[in-house]
Amino acid sequence: GLFGPDGAGAVAAAGCADVVAARVNPCGKALGGAGGVVTASRAIIASLHARARSFLFATALPPAVAAGVRAALGVMRAEPERRARPLALARQFEHTMGSTRIGGGALVPWILGAPQAALAAAESLRACGFEVRAVRPPTVPEGTSRLRFSFHADHTDAEMARLSSSVGELVSAARP
């Protein structure tokens, strides 16, 4: 929802939509829904119906979720600034953190190493009013526990300044 023309995705942004046979389109995060859908030719969809075990045990999107996703797609087209802002906030935060990561989306990792370090940092930020998730093994490799910052269009400049300050205090406290 954040990349490509009208939020059509990374495939559209890369200009290769005509050569991709099938796409998995997540309906969470940028669209505010849940689950996802596969878009492909009728032949590929028929094959998935017949052979995909995961499909056999899953259900279709509930009508309310499908309606919400459809409305979100309309907002994405009508308000492109709502797609641009999370990316801009993530880049701003990465710059503040001194990160040189290129090409990322609206999620910014801060790798802290030990699971305890990630949990402690998440708890410190929670005490400051921020909900930042600690991601630990087995989700990530050992030694790469991290915080996962997720930026949204409705985050204010004041919230961003407060977050940067809070993270800066954590970084300063961690220095020997």
Side-chain angles (χ1 to χ4, degrees), residues 11 41 119 141 163 167:
V11 170
S41 69
L119 288 168
L163 175 63
V167 169

Side-chain angles (χ1 to χ4, degrees), residues 17-87:
D18 293 342
V19 298
V20 173
R23 289 176 42 180
V24 176
N25 305 283
C27 295
K29 295 200 179 46
L31 296 178
V37 296
V38 175
T39 53
S41 69
R42 290 183 191 271
I44 290 173
I45 296 298
S47 178
L48 289 174
H49 281 185
R51 297 178 176 264
R53 284 185 56 81
S54 60
F55 180 80
L56 296 175
F57 301 107
T59 59
L61 292 178
V65 172
V69 167
R70 185 177 202 162
L73 290 168
V75 170
M76 284 176 16
R77 289 183 183 103
E79 301 176 31
E81 67 279 3
R82 292 189 64 80
R83 291 187 299 109
R85 182 154 173 84
L87 298 174

Side-chain angles (χ1 to χ4, degrees), residues 87-175:
L87 298 174
L89 292 175
R91 298 302 77 77
Q92 172 191 332
F93 184 70
E94 286 178 334
H95 179 73
T96 299
M97 296 281 296
S99 174
T100 57
R101 193 172 66 103
I102 297 174
L107 300 177
V108 177
W110 180 22
I111 298 175
L112 295 165
Q116 299 82 357
L119 288 168
E123 185 54 41
S124 292
L125 290 172
R126 191 170 294 113
C128 296
F130 298 105
E131 185 62 33
V132 181
R133 302 285 182 202
V135 184
R136 300 157 291 157
T139 306
V140 295
E142 289 289 338
T144 67
S145 291
R146 64 198 69 192
L147 295 185
R148 187 180 105 176
F149 296 86
S150 179
F151 296 99
H152 304 273
D154 56 353
H155 286 142
T156 67
D157 291 342
E159 289 170 329
M160 292 300 297
R162 203 165 57 81
L163 175 63
S164 293
S165 175
S166 296
V167 169
E169 289 173 16
L170 285 174
V171 170
S172 294
R175 287 193 184 116

